[in-house]
Structures are given as structure tokens and as C-alpha cells.
Amino acid sequence: MSEGWFAGLATDQVGAERVREGSADAPDAWPDRAIEAGVVTSEEAYYDRLHEATTAAARTAMEERERADDQQVIHAVRAMDDAGRMANELAERVAEWAGSRDAASGTGIDYCRELAATDPAEPADERLVSLAERAIELDDERDALERYVERVVRDAAPNLAALAGPTLAARLLALAGGLDSMAKTSSSTVQVLGAEEALFAHLRGQAPSPKHGVIYVHEYVRGTRPEKRGSAARALAGKLTIAARIDHYAGDRRPSLEADLDERMRRIRTGGEDDGAA
Amino acid sequence: MSEGWFAGLATDQVGAERVREGSADAPDAWPDRAIEAGVVTSEEAYYDRLHEATTAAARTAMEERERADDQQVIHAVRAMDDAGRMANELAERVAEWAGSRDAASGTGIDYCRELAATDPAEPADERLVSLAERAIELDDERDALERYVERVVRDAAPNLAALAGPTLAARLLALAGGLDSMAKTSSSTVQVLGAEEALFAHLRGQAPSPKHGVIYVHEYVRGTRPEKRGSAARALAGKLTIAARIDHYAGDRRPSLEADLDERMRRIRTGGEDDGAA
Amino acid sequence: MALPDGVQYRTFDGEERLATRGEAVYGEPVVDGWRAWDAHRSKLGAMYELGMEPGLDAGDRVLYLGAANGTTASHVADVAGPTYAVEFAARPMRDLLSVAETRGNLFPLLKDARNPETYAHVVENGLDLLVQDVATRGQARVARANQRFLHDDGRLCLAIKARSEDATREPDDVFADALDDLREGYEILDSRRLDPFHADHLAVVATPR
Amino acid sequence: MALPDGVQYRTFDGEERLATRGEAVYGEPVVDGWRAWDAHRSKLGAMYELGMEPGLDAGDRVLYLGAANGTTASHVADVAGPTYAVEFAARPMRDLLSVAETRGNLFPLLKDARNPETYAHVVENGLDLLVQDVATRGQARVARANQRFLHDDGRLCLAIKARSEDATREPDDVFADALDDLREGYEILDSRRLDPFHADHLAVVATPR
């Protein structure tokens, strides 16, 4: 026999875990059953407790799912980078081998697609065509992973994804070790995530302090002229850190963040303030 | 109108190239045509010249094909190493990701095969299963390339393949740059092919001279006890160099080479001669 | 056609619009405590605009499958009694929770509508209305799996998205197949395309058979 | 059945065996200048052992497709006149060349039997015999493509390997299909399985139609 979510619930227990973990083969007249069982004294009281239990359960489950999602993004973005790198390496190998057999051969994934469409004439061609197919599949895999990353990172860290773009957001999460860690990281650390080698060289006194890590790929850093790039990187890192904190602690979308960033960048790019002065 | 292989051939030309490069839509009474054209004066003379031309043509074509084959082996063995390395790297990535989703997940290509047989429940599983499939295909590709390498290296360098095993033979050809180069290389260079880094360190005075390169994987080096290993590597490299020269200059199989190597190894392994003394 | 108690046409900015009484949720205009119900953002709203009778009555007990961020579920909860709102995705749950904050009769459940066993210990039986708006393949199958929650004269109010079933086929063919599937458990009372409010959607009102 | 001039049964080590006169090639026994012809290593030899008439006569002009390392081609050249030996693989060519060294009437060609245009400028027309032993798919098609070299009363002597055509089907079905293909250009005079000498092989003697 199936039991309701409230079965055996003490008066001081919310029952959120029962809502999340329980199950039943069939529904029942749960409000009546709860009153019969003495868990509540009225239908009104039942629905009050149900409201409390279901909202608490939904909130915890949602937060767990989102926490888990940022970890999935990290694995996916690493797999994406692997697949992309391997696709390119294999395409290079294909081009090198094909070049030894056909002076008119090409290079890159596009050439692999051409080659894969041909009928192999000899055993070597069979292997070469097959190798080209592996390169294409890895390239397609990379794209599928990117689409997955984009979708999940928009759920797991919507503000960060909006400000950084989904792929950069995923890379930042991967470098920080998750949304939780990134939310607890200083803006100056976020600024140089991905430039750890340069940073360690700086700390050993062998190099200047790096101005940016992986955030360099953002248009607001790369597209800013060199003498303002440090300011731009600092401003961007600041907003990204705030976005990560909102995503972690609040979770709602704040379109104003983008407007703020746009405005700040406009001032940096047009203003007299440059790196030395900032 | 089609012309015979002998058309316009001077008396001092063999005509091997014509035999190799020419073509005709239809055969003809070529002996008669040759006599009519004044190329030869009798049927007997025609067949003599034909014999000379066809054997010369077949020999050159065969040698070119074999030379080309050793280059194919080089490309294939590199592709084989790429595919094997990528299969393992992707399998590691799969294991890492799967471990974040399922505590009972496994590792390696075998686990990828298990995973690929499951039905993905969520978008993350879809990507994970797809990634596992890429790893499996790369592993299969590696095996197919190995089979290709084994077959072609036995044709291109039969004696080297017999002594070294086909895969090591292919690696040596790749490191030397082909059968031609390997046939012209000294035995002491063959001994350290694949240990270039250690050799350069030695030449800079930073390390002892390496005793062996990639030939270490041969049972006759790896399976010989350390104090005799240098002698074993030297003896093996000597025989491999001879094998490569026979393959390049003569091309016939010499089973006696293996018997010689076996006998030499027996003496090194049982004799008092060790590295310092050799 | 009569609108249920709690759903009325009201004047917003000089325009007659469908409305319910409740806290504003998504920036919709509010006049005298009545909030406009945007038929372009709600399939159920569109059904009213098109003159269908989805079967929602004031005080009804409702199971809403595919509640998403609660836009439509908020209007349903404004009218109905106990409203169970099932949503599978974590992301829209945050908005759904804030809708539920001001609505004590809205019970959010982060569950998969394809597995009713995972919420049958929470959702009561003998419900008056099952509203279903899930964008997943097998929408008719989901409706049949959740039939257990309805009483014998209850209503199913279903929006079928053709592209979710099979993006490669003609919507008409997809809808015909879905209706056939549905008939194994339900009697179809009414069905209409939701154009111009929602392209490629079929709305169905049915009752258990 | 009469053996052609140049092919005889001779006694080797007390055993009667098929033989031709010529330089030894593959370590086969030689007595009085006659070398034993091993029917287990030669499909043409097996055809003689099984009483077929492959159509080889002393002094014939022959095209041999699939000469491999020359084991059989050497016996053919011992008996025939001009013998064109086509082989596609580079590896066995080395052995074929050493067979040709002592046989001025054997002309080795490193060519693809599927492309007769690439050797029609060398191989003469009006040949007496086409021997074909290629282990490739489409063996009947190869025989038809090379029909142009035979005179009208010439003979085709073909060994079909079932597994080369289609390893997944029954040999009998494969052979039936190959014979049908062949009939488009040839009249079949005789056909026999080569067991016990060669498993899954069908030998065919045919003439152009």
C-alpha cells in the first residue's frame, strides 16, 4: 500500500525530504488521509503544510541540480576542448598523409569532409578515409558539446553566461572549479584565471604581472586598444565576479548587469583613464 | 588509333617506360606491327625486346611501389599512435565525467564500451555516451591501422618486419624517414633511434650515452638482464640494419637472418660477455 | 460561452483583456487587483480567447504539468483551489517559486511528468482538471499516465506542440496520431489549432472514458 | 583426355605426377629436366588432375591474369609460347621476375587486370588462352573486360574464389551468379569445383560467344 508524503511526520518536521524522495503507485485522498492520521486537523492546515513542504523541497532540489549542473559544464567544456584539439590534430595527420598520395590534397576539417565522401581505391585510402571520418566526428562532437555547454551554463549561471558568453563562462567555471568557488573568488583572481603560468612567473620575479587570463577572448578585452586593456580586463573581471555571485546566491537574471558593463566600457574606451593611471 | 609500346622507339632504348606509362584502347597484332614499323626484323627479335622491356618495367615499378609503401607505413604508424593516444585520453575524460554522475562508473576503453551500450537518460548522458563512442572508434581505428601497418611493412621491408616485428619495424622506418634512409644509416644510429633527446643530452655532456631507443620494446632487449642489455641492443641493431639493407637493395626474404640473431642472442645471454667488456 | 468565476474581461489601457485576480508575476498590467492574462504567452489564455471551454472552474483542484516559470500556472492558481505545479527543469523553478510565494494554494514540484509515481505520494486523487503543456515527445502518453489523478468527470486540457512530437512531419499528421493515442484513455470533447496566438499547437479538451 | 605436348605424368620418388620441362622455381622436384607440377599449389594443375581440358596447347599465346609469384605461370610458360603475366601486387613481382629470368617467353606486367587499357599497348590480340586467377571481387567482370585479347575460338580458363566475390554468401550461390555474369560474353564449356585440391573454388572453361 502506498503512503502519503506526510506519513509519520512529526509536527516540527517540514517534510521536504519526503516530498523529494518519496513515491507512490497511485494517488489517494491525501488531505483526508492526513487528517485521519492526525498529522493535521483540517484541510486548510494540510494545504498550509503541503505548501511549506513542496516549496522547500523544490528550492533544495533546484539548488542541488544547479550546483550539479556547473560541474557538468566543467566536464563538458574540458571534453569540448579535447574533442576540438583532437579533431584538428587528426585533420593535420590526414592532410600530411593525403599529401603523400595526392598532390592536389587539401588541409583542415573541410578537406576531411571532402575526402570522407570519396570511395577508397586501395587499402591505404581506406584507412585515410576512415581517419578523416574520425576527425569529422570529433569536430561534430566538439560542436555538440559546445551546444550542450551553452544550454547548461545558461541554466547554471545565467548572469555569468550573459556577460561572458556561454563558452567563456564555462571556461571560467572550469578554471575556478565551479560556481561556488568562483562566487567566493576575488575579482583580481578571476581577472587572471587561465594565466596561472604567467602569474607564477611573476611571483618568482621573472615576469610582469599578467593583465588577463582567459577573459582575453572577450570582445571587451581583445577589442580594446592595448593601453586600456588592463582597465578593461579589471572592469570585466569585476562584473563577471558579481554575476557569478548573483548566480550562486540569488539566481535571478539581472539584465542591468550588462547595461552597467556596457556603460563602464564605454567610459574606459573613450575616457583618458589608461592602465598606468588606473 | 592506338599505338604499341614500341612506337618510335630507338634501337638503343629498352622501352620500359613505354610499357609502364603507355595505354591503348584495344590490343593489336603488335609483333607484326613492330616488324612493319621496322623496329625489329623478326618475331623472335620482337619477343626478345619485349622480354627485356617488360622485365625492366616490372622491376622499376615494383621498386617504386615498395619505396612508396614504406612512406605509407610511416604515415600509418604515426596515425596509429595518434589514434591510440587520443582513444586513451578520451577514455580518461569519459571516466572522469562519468565518475561525477555515477559512483559505480569504471575506466578505460572497456568502460567506454559498456557505457556506449546504455540508453542516455539526460542531455549530459547523451554527450557522455557519444564521447565514449568516439573513444571506441578511435581505439578501433588504431587497431585497423596496426593491421594495415603490419601488412604493408611485411611487403615493404619483409626482413626487417620478420626480425623486429611489424610494428617496431614500422616505428624504425618512421624514425629513420624511410627504408632508403634506414638502409644508409649506421647500426649505432639505428640502436638509438627514438632516443634522440637522451642522445642530445649526452652530446651536451649532461647524460650517459643512451643504450637503446625504440628497439627497447623488442623482447631481445627488454627481456635481457640489465648488464647485458647494451650488448643485446647493439647486436639487435646490427641485424636490423642488415635486414633493412637487404630489404632495400635485394628485396628477397632471408630466413637465415633470424637464425643468426637467435644464435647471437643465445651467446650474449649465456656468455660472460657483458656491457662493460663488449 | 461563460468564463469561470475569477476570469473576466477587464479594460487595460482602453483595451478589453482577459484577467484574473492575484499578485502580478511577469510585469503584466494590473488594474483594480485584476491582472491581464496574455494569450500570446499562455496557451490556456489563448483557448479562452478562441472560445474554447478548458473546464477550469473556481475552486477546482488542478494538476498542472509543465508549469515552467509559472506564467500560466499563476493565473490558474488565481482561479482554482489546490494547484499542483509539476516542472522538470531546475532553471524556471526559481520563478515558479516566487509565484508560489504569494499563492498558498500553488504547490511546486520539481518532478518529471513522465513518472507520476514520483509525485503520486503528494498529489491527491479525484482532481477536477489536468492542464498539460509539456514540450516533450509522447505528449499523449504523458496525459494517459497522469489520468490516474482525475475523477471520472474531470477534464484534461492539453496543448500539443507538433515540433516536440516530431519536427520532421506535417503538424496535421502529428496531431492526428496524438489524438489517436489520446483516445485510448480519453474522450475528446473539443480540439483546435491555437493560431494566431501559438503556431503549430493543437489545444485539446477531453474527459476520461 | 589428352594432355598437351609439354605436359606429362612423370615418376617422382616412385609417384606419378604431372610435370613440365623448365628451370625449377619453388623447390619442386626435378627429374630428367621435368619439374613436378603441384596441383595443390596450382588451380590449373588441379584442373588437369581432375580431368578437365583447360585448353592449353604447346606454343599457345597466353594471357595470365593474377600471376602472383609465378608458380603456375612458370608451368604455363614451359608449355606455351608468348605468355603475358599480369600481377597487381608489388610484393610477389620479385619472385615473378626471377621466374621470368630463365623464361624468355614470359613477360611480367605490374598492372591491374581490371584496367586492360593499361596493358593493351603491350599484350597482343588474337591470343589462344586467357588464364585468370585473381582474388578480387567481380571476377566474371574481369574476364569479360579481357575478352578483347582472345581470338574467336580462344579459351578462357578461370578459377573463381567464392570468398573473394562475397564472403557472406553460400559458394554455390556466388558461383551461379558469376556464371550468369560470364555468359554475357562467353559460352561455358565446362565447370567443376576444385575440391579436394582447392576448397571453395570453381574452375570454368569457356569460349567467346
Side-chain angles (χ1 to χ4, degrees):
Chain A
M1 197 202 101
S2 294
E3 291 195 318
W5 62 277
F6 48 79
L9 205 67
T11 38
D12 60 344
Q13 281 182 292
V14 171
E17 199 177 317
R18 303 287 187 81
V19 169
R20 290 186 59 197
E21 305 296 336
S23 71
D25 291 339
D28 204 335
W30 299 129
D32 296 347
R33 294 289 94 77
I35 294 167
E36 284 164 20
V39 178
V40 289
T41 52
S42 70
E43 198 171 86
E44 202 187 343
Y46 173 79
Y47 286 125
D48 283 350
R49 288 202 63 170
L50 180 62
H51 189 260
E52 189 185 12
T54 53
T55 51
R59 187 173 306 279
T60 322
M62 171 190 77
E63 283 168 358
E64 269 182 27
R65 282 264 289 274
E66 285 183 355
R67 250 199 306 284
D69 274 358
D70 71 348
Q71 293 304 315
Q72 295 304 299
V73 165
I74 292 175
H75 289 291
V77 80
R78 286 179 186 152
M80 179 187 101
D81 287 344
D82 283 348
R85 176 177 50 78
M86 289 175 188
N88 286 329
E89 284 178 23
L90 268 195
E92 262 183 61
R93 178 69 64 213
V94 165
E96 202 183 288
W97 191 352
S100 80
R101 303 177 59 76
D102 176 7
S105 67
T107 56
I109 290 288
D110 285 344
Y111 175 65
C112 286
R113 289 187 198 275
E114 265 176 53
L115 192 64
T118 63
D119 279 333
E122 294 182 23
D125 295 323
E126 272 175 41
R127 297 273 51 82
L128 194 47
V129 164
S130 181
L131 204 63
E133 284 166 353
R134 297 294 85 74
I136 294 165
E137 283 168 356
L138 284 167
D139 190 55
D140 292 346
E141 190 66 39
R142 198 213 81 89
D143 291 349
L145 282 161
E146 186 171 38
R147 286 191 298 273
Y148 170 81
V149 163
E150 288 182 354
R151 201 154 29 104
V152 179
V153 82
R154 280 202 187 95
D155 278 353
N159 290 295
L160 183 63
L163 257 62
T167 309
L168 174 56
R171 281 189 208 292
L172 286 168
L173 289 176
L175 288 163
L179 184 56
D180 181 63
S181 320
M182 188 166 165
K184 291 168 183 156
T185 297
S186 71
S187 157
S188 56
T189 300
V190 168
Q191 191 179 338
V192 294
L193 277 176
E196 284 71 15
E197 273 188 42
L199 187 64
F200 292 144
H202 168 63
L203 295 175
R204 284 193 308 267
Q206 295 167 345
S209 165
K211 282 183 186 156
H212 40 65
V214 73
I215 63 166
Y216 177 77
V217 303
H218 197 286
E219 170 57 22
Y220 271 151
V221 180
R222 209 181 36 185
T224 298
R225 61 179 188 279
E227 68 273 21
K228 307 265 183 153
R229 213 170 266 162
S231 304
R234 199 155 44 247
L236 177 62
K239 294 293 179 196
L240 294 178
T241 309
I242 292 168
R245 286 175 192 163
I246 293 173
D247 287 334
H248 184 59
Y249 296 109
D252 58 324
R253 273 285 282 126
R254 308 264 174 96
S256 62
L257 277 171
E258 287 141 274
D260 288 356
L261 177 63
D262 293 345
E263 171 56 19
R264 178 104 177 83
M265 282 298 158
R266 198 191 54 72
R267 275 188 287 126
I268 288 174
R269 286 177 167 191
T270 59
E273 167 195 20
D274 61 73
D275 272 15
Chain B
M1 197 203 100
S2 294
E3 290 195 319
W5 62 278
F6 47 80
L9 207 66
T11 38
D12 60 345
Q13 281 182 292
V14 171
E17 200 178 316
R18 303 288 186 79
V19 169
R20 288 187 59 198
E21 305 296 336
S23 71
D25 291 337
D28 203 335
W30 300 128
D32 297 346
R33 296 289 92 76
I35 293 168
E36 283 163 21
V39 179
V40 289
T41 52
S42 69
E43 198 172 88
E44 202 188 342
Y46 173 80
Y47 287 125
D48 283 350
R49 288 201 61 170
L50 181 62
H51 189 260
E52 190 186 9
T54 53
T55 51
R59 186 174 306 279
T60 321
M62 171 191 78
E63 283 167 356
E64 270 183 26
R65 281 264 291 273
E66 285 183 355
R67 250 199 303 285
D69 275 356
D70 70 349
Q71 294 303 317
Q72 296 304 299
V73 164
I74 291 175
H75 289 291
V77 80
R78 286 179 187 152
M80 178 187 101
D81 287 344
D82 283 347
R85 174 177 50 78
M86 290 175 186
N88 286 329
E89 284 177 23
L90 270 195
E92 263 181 61
R93 179 68 65 212
V94 166
E96 202 181 288
W97 190 351
S100 81
R101 303 177 59 76
D102 176 7
S105 67
T107 56
I109 291 288
D110 285 344
Y111 174 65
C112 286
R113 287 185 199 278
E114 263 176 53
L115 193 63
T118 62
D119 278 333
E122 294 182 23
D125 295 324
E126 271 175 40
R127 298 272 50 82
L128 194 47
V129 164
S130 183
L131 203 64
E133 283 166 353
R134 298 292 87 72
I136 294 165
E137 283 169 356
L138 284 167
D139 190 56
D140 292 345
E141 190 66 41
R142 198 214 80 89
D143 291 349
L145 282 161
E146 185 171 38
R147 287 192 296 275
Y148 170 79
V149 163
E150 288 182 354
R151 201 156 28 104
V152 180
V153 82
R154 280 202 187 95
D155 277 354
N159 289 295
L160 184 63
L163 257 63
T167 309
L168 175 56
R171 282 190 208 292
L172 287 167
L173 289 176
L175 288 163
L179 184 56
D180 182 62
S181 320
M182 187 165 167
K184 290 169 183 156
T185 297
S186 71
S187 157
S188 56
T189 300
V190 169
Q191 191 179 338
V192 294
L193 277 175
E196 283 70 17
E197 275 189 40
L199 187 64
F200 292 144
H202 167 64
L203 295 175
R204 286 195 306 267
Q206 295 166 345
S209 163
K211 282 181 186 160
H212 40 65
V214 72
I215 63 166
Y216 176 76
V217 304
H218 197 286
E219 169 58 21
Y220 271 152
V221 180
R222 207 180 40 186
T224 298
R225 60 181 188 278
E227 68 272 22
K228 307 266 183 154
R229 215 171 263 163
S231 304
R234 199 155 43 246
L236 177 63
K239 294 293 179 197
L240 294 179
T241 309
I242 292 169
R245 287 176 191 163
I246 294 172
D247 287 333
H248 184 60
Y249 296 110
D252 58 322
R253 272 285 284 124
R254 306 265 175 95
S256 62
L257 277 171
E258 288 142 275
D260 287 356
L261 177 63
D262 292 345
E263 170 56 19
R264 178 102 179 84
M265 283 297 159
R266 199 192 53 73
R267 274 188 288 127
I268 288 175
R269 286 177 166 191
T270 58
E273 169 194 20
D274 63 79
D275 272 14
Chain C
M1 184 210 82
L3 290 173
D5 282 354
V7 183
Q8 297 188 3
Y9 273 93
R10 308 284 299 188
T11 309
F12 295 89
D13 210 10
E15 196 185 347
E16 289 285 292
R17 295 182 62 183
L18 210 61
T20 62
R21 290 166 75 98
E23 289 273 333
V25 161
Y26 50 97
E28 69 279 14
V30 180
V31 172
D32 300 336
W34 289 83
R35 40 194 291 261
W37 187 351
D38 188 346
H40 287 280
R41 298 173 69 166
S42 166
K43 281 143 223 158
L44 193 59
M47 289 172 77
Y48 281 116
E49 294 283 5
L50 294 170
M52 296 180 77
E53 298 197 23
L56 171 65
D57 281 316
D60 271 359
R61 292 162 197 242
V62 179
L63 172 57
Y64 196 116
L65 302 177
N69 59 3
T71 303
T72 301
S74 67
H75 289 291
V76 171
D78 286 350
V79 177
T83 303
Y84 300 88
V86 171
E87 172 54 45
F88 181 55
R91 184 73 216 139
M93 184 50 75
R94 211 173 279 280
D95 289 334
L96 184 58
L97 277 167
S98 73
V99 169
E101 240 168 61
T102 57
R103 288 169 177 84
N105 62 330
L106 185 61
F107 312 119
L109 292 162
L110 188 64
K111 303 280 184 181
D112 186 345
R114 291 171 300 187
N115 299 318
E117 296 79 13
T118 60
Y119 49 86
H121 65 303
V122 177
V123 178
E124 63 196 277
N125 65 2
L127 299 180
D128 303 299
L129 180 63
L130 173 59
V131 182
Q132 180 180 319
D133 183 13
V134 297
T136 178
R137 196 184 262 263
Q139 294 162 98
R141 208 161 48 241
V142 171
R144 275 164 39 219
N146 284 278
Q147 191 168 347
R148 66 188 77 178
F149 296 103
L150 282 180
H151 65 67
D152 293 349
D153 295 323
R155 289 284 179 278
L156 163 69
C157 176
L158 170 67
I160 304 176
K161 188 176 179 187
R163 292 184 58 82
S164 296
E165 282 295 331
D166 188 339
T168 65
R169 294 173 61 209
E170 282 300 307
D172 279 339
D173 298 342
V174 173
F175 294 146
D177 284 0
L179 288 178
D180 278 350
D181 278 0
L182 207 55
R183 283 195 188 92
E184 292 187 22
Y186 292 92
E187 180 190 343
I188 313 290
L189 302 177
D190 192 6
S191 74
R192 273 189 69 169
R193 296 284 284 260
L194 288 179
D195 304 271
F197 298 102
H198 302 273
D200 287 341
H201 277 79
L202 184 76
V204 181
V205 180
T207 189
R209 49 188 274 167
Chain D
M1 187 210 80
L3 290 172
D5 282 356
V7 183
Q8 296 188 5
Y9 275 93
R10 308 283 302 187
T11 309
F12 295 89
D13 209 12
E15 196 186 345
E16 288 285 293
R17 296 182 61 184
L18 211 61
T20 63
R21 289 166 74 97
E23 290 272 333
V25 162
Y26 51 97
E28 70 278 18
V30 180
V31 172
D32 299 336
W34 289 84
R35 40 193 289 261
W37 186 350
D38 187 347
H40 288 279
R41 298 175 68 166
S42 166
K43 282 142 222 160
L44 193 60
M47 290 172 77
Y48 281 117
E49 294 283 6
L50 294 169
M52 295 180 80
E53 299 197 21
L56 171 65
D57 282 316
D60 270 358
R61 290 160 199 246
V62 179
L63 172 57
Y64 196 116
L65 302 176
N69 59 2
T71 304
T72 301
S74 68
H75 289 291
V76 171
D78 287 349
V79 176
T83 303
Y84 300 89
V86 171
E87 172 54 43
F88 181 55
R91 183 75 215 136
M93 184 51 73
R94 212 174 277 280
D95 289 335
L96 183 58
L97 277 168
S98 71
V99 169
E101 240 168 61
T102 58
R103 287 170 177 84
N105 61 330
L106 184 62
F107 312 118
L109 292 161
L110 188 64
K111 304 278 185 184
D112 186 345
R114 290 172 298 186
N115 299 318
E117 297 79 14
T118 61
Y119 49 85
H121 66 303
V122 178
V123 178
E124 62 197 278
N125 64 3
L127 298 179
D128 304 298
L129 180 63
L130 172 59
V131 183
Q132 181 180 318
D133 183 14
V134 297
T136 178
R137 196 184 261 262
Q139 295 163 97
R141 207 160 50 240
V142 171
R144 274 164 39 217
N146 284 277
Q147 191 170 346
R148 65 189 77 179
F149 296 104
L150 283 180
H151 66 66
D152 294 349
D153 295 325
R155 288 285 180 279
L156 164 68
C157 175
L158 170 67
I160 305 175
K161 188 177 178 185
R163 293 183 58 83
S164 296
E165 282 296 330
D166 189 339
T168 64
R169 295 173 61 210
E170 281 300 307
D172 279 339
D173 297 342
V174 174
F175 294 145
D177 283 0
L179 288 178
D180 278 350
D181 279 359
L182 207 55
R183 282 193 190 95
E184 293 186 22
Y186 292 92
E187 179 191 342
I188 313 289
L189 302 178
D190 192 8
S191 75
R192 273 190 69 169
R193 297 283 286 259
L194 287 179
D195 305 271
F197 298 103
H198 302 274
D200 287 340
H201 277 78
L202 183 76
V204 181
V205 180
T207 190
R209 48 187 276 167

Coordinates of all heavy atoms in Angstrom, one line a residue, chain A residues 207-231:
Chain A
A207 N 58.6 37.8 -14.4 CA 57.8 38.4 -15.5 C 56.9 39.5 -14.9 O 56.7 39.5 -13.7 CB 56.9 37.3 -16.1
P208 N 56.4 40.4 -15.7 CA 55.4 41.3 -15.2 C 54.1 40.6 -14.9 O 53.8 39.5 -15.3 CB 55.2 42.3 -16.4 CG 55.6 41.5 -17.6 CD 56.6 40.5 -17.2
S209 N 53.3 41.3 -14.0 CA 52.0 40.7 -13.6 C 51.1 40.6 -14.8 O 51.0 41.5 -15.6 CB 51.4 41.7 -12.6 OG 50.1 41.4 -12.4
P210 N 50.5 39.4 -15.0 CA 49.6 39.3 -16.2 C 48.4 40.2 -16.0 O 47.9 40.3 -14.9 CB 49.3 37.8 -16.2 CG 49.5 37.3 -14.8 CD 50.6 38.2 -14.2
K211 N 48.0 40.7 -17.2 CA 46.8 41.6 -17.1 C 45.5 40.9 -17.3 O 44.4 41.4 -17.0 CB 46.9 42.7 -18.2 CG 47.9 43.8 -17.9 CD 47.9 44.8 -19.0 CE 49.0 45.8 -18.8 NZ 49.3 46.5 -20.1
H212 N 45.6 39.7 -17.9 CA 44.3 39.0 -18.1 C 44.7 37.5 -18.4 O 45.7 37.2 -18.9 CB 43.5 39.5 -19.2 CG 44.4 40.0 -20.4 ND1 45.1 39.1 -21.1 CD2 44.6 41.2 -20.9 CE1 45.8 39.8 -22.0 NE2 45.5 41.1 -21.9
G213 N 43.7 36.6 -18.0 CA 43.9 35.2 -18.4 C 42.9 34.9 -19.5 O 43.0 35.6 -20.5
V214 N 42.0 34.0 -19.3 CA 41.2 33.5 -20.4 C 40.1 34.6 -20.8 O 39.6 34.5 -21.9 CB 40.5 32.2 -20.0 CG1 39.4 32.4 -18.9 CG2 39.9 31.4 -21.1
I215 N 39.9 35.6 -19.9 CA 38.9 36.6 -20.3 C 39.4 37.4 -21.5 O 38.7 38.3 -22.0 CB 38.5 37.6 -19.1 CG1 39.8 38.3 -18.6 CG2 37.9 36.8 -18.0 CD1 39.4 39.5 -17.7
Y216 N 40.7 37.2 -21.9 CA 41.2 37.9 -23.0 C 40.4 37.7 -24.3 O 40.2 38.6 -25.1 CB 42.7 37.4 -23.4 CG 43.2 38.1 -24.6 CD1 43.6 39.4 -24.6 CD2 43.2 37.4 -25.8 CE1 44.1 40.0 -25.7 CE2 43.7 38.0 -27.0 CZ 44.1 39.3 -26.9 OH 44.6 39.9 -28.1
V217 N 39.7 36.5 -24.4 CA 38.9 36.2 -25.6 C 37.7 37.1 -25.6 O 37.0 37.2 -26.7 CB 38.5 34.7 -25.7 CG1 39.7 33.8 -25.7 CG2 37.5 34.4 -24.6
H218 N 37.3 37.7 -24.5 CA 36.1 38.6 -24.6 C 36.4 39.8 -25.4 O 37.4 40.5 -25.3 CB 35.7 39.0 -23.1 CG 34.3 39.5 -23.0 ND1 34.0 40.8 -23.4 CD2 33.2 38.9 -22.5 CE1 32.7 40.9 -23.1 NE2 32.2 39.8 -22.6
E219 N 35.4 40.2 -26.2 CA 35.5 41.4 -27.1 C 35.9 42.6 -26.3 O 36.6 43.5 -26.8 CB 34.2 41.6 -27.8 CG 34.0 42.9 -28.6 CD 35.1 43.1 -29.6 OE1 35.7 42.1 -30.1 OE2 35.3 44.2 -30.0
Y220 N 35.4 42.7 -25.1 CA 35.7 43.9 -24.3 C 37.2 44.0 -23.8 O 37.6 45.1 -23.4 CB 34.8 44.0 -23.1 CG 33.5 44.8 -23.4 CD1 32.3 44.5 -22.7 CD2 33.5 45.8 -24.3 CE1 31.2 45.2 -23.0 CE2 32.3 46.4 -24.6 CZ 31.2 46.2 -24.0 OH 30.0 46.8 -24.2
V221 N 37.9 42.9 -23.9 CA 39.4 43.0 -23.6 C 40.1 43.0 -24.9 O 40.8 43.9 -25.3 CB 39.8 41.8 -22.8 CG1 41.3 41.9 -22.5 CG2 39.0 41.7 -21.5
R222 N 39.9 42.0 -25.8 CA 40.6 41.8 -27.0 C 40.4 43.0 -27.9 O 41.2 43.5 -28.7 CB 40.1 40.6 -27.7 CG 41.2 39.9 -28.6 CD 40.7 38.7 -29.2 NE 39.2 38.9 -29.6 CZ 38.4 37.9 -30.1 NH1 38.9 36.7 -30.3 NH2 37.2 38.2 -30.4
G223 N 39.1 43.6 -27.9 CA 38.8 44.7 -28.8 C 39.1 46.0 -28.2 O 38.8 47.0 -28.9
T224 N 39.7 46.1 -27.1 CA 40.1 47.4 -26.5 C 41.6 47.7 -26.8 O 42.4 46.7 -26.8 CB 39.9 47.4 -25.0 OG1 38.5 47.2 -24.7 CG2 40.3 48.7 -24.3
R225 N 41.9 48.9 -27.1 CA 43.3 49.1 -27.5 C 44.3 48.9 -26.3 O 43.9 49.1 -25.2 CB 43.5 50.5 -28.1 CG 43.1 51.7 -27.2 CD 43.4 53.0 -28.0 NE 43.3 54.2 -27.1 CZ 42.1 54.7 -26.7 NH1 41.0 54.2 -27.2 NH2 42.1 55.8 -25.9
P226 N 45.5 48.4 -26.7 CA 46.4 47.9 -25.7 C 46.6 48.7 -24.4 O 46.6 48.2 -23.3 CB 47.7 47.7 -26.5 CG 47.3 47.5 -27.9 CD 46.0 48.3 -28.0
E227 N 46.7 50.0 -24.5 CA 47.0 50.8 -23.3 C 45.8 50.9 -22.4 O 46.0 51.2 -21.2 CB 47.5 52.2 -23.7 CG 46.5 53.1 -24.3 CD 46.4 53.0 -25.8 OE1 46.9 51.9 -26.3 OE2 45.9 53.9 -26.5
K228 N 44.6 50.5 -22.9 CA 43.4 50.5 -22.0 C 43.0 49.1 -21.6 O 42.0 48.9 -20.9 CB 42.2 51.1 -22.7 CG 42.5 52.5 -23.3 CD 42.0 53.6 -22.3 CE 42.3 54.9 -22.9 NZ 41.4 55.9 -22.4
R229 N 43.8 48.1 -22.1 CA 43.3 46.7 -22.0 C 43.3 46.3 -20.5 O 42.4 45.5 -20.1 CB 44.2 45.8 -22.8 CG 43.4 44.7 -23.4 CD 44.3 43.9 -24.4 NE 44.0 44.4 -25.8 CZ 44.9 44.2 -26.8 NH1 46.0 43.6 -26.6 NH2 44.6 44.6 -28.0
G230 N 44.3 46.7 -19.7 CA 44.3 46.4 -18.3 C 43.1 46.8 -17.6 O 42.4 46.1 -16.8
S231 N 42.7 48.1 -17.8 CA 41.5 48.7 -17.2 C 40.3 47.9 -17.6 O 39.4 47.6 -16.8 CB 41.3 50.1 -17.6 OG 42.4 50.9 -17.3

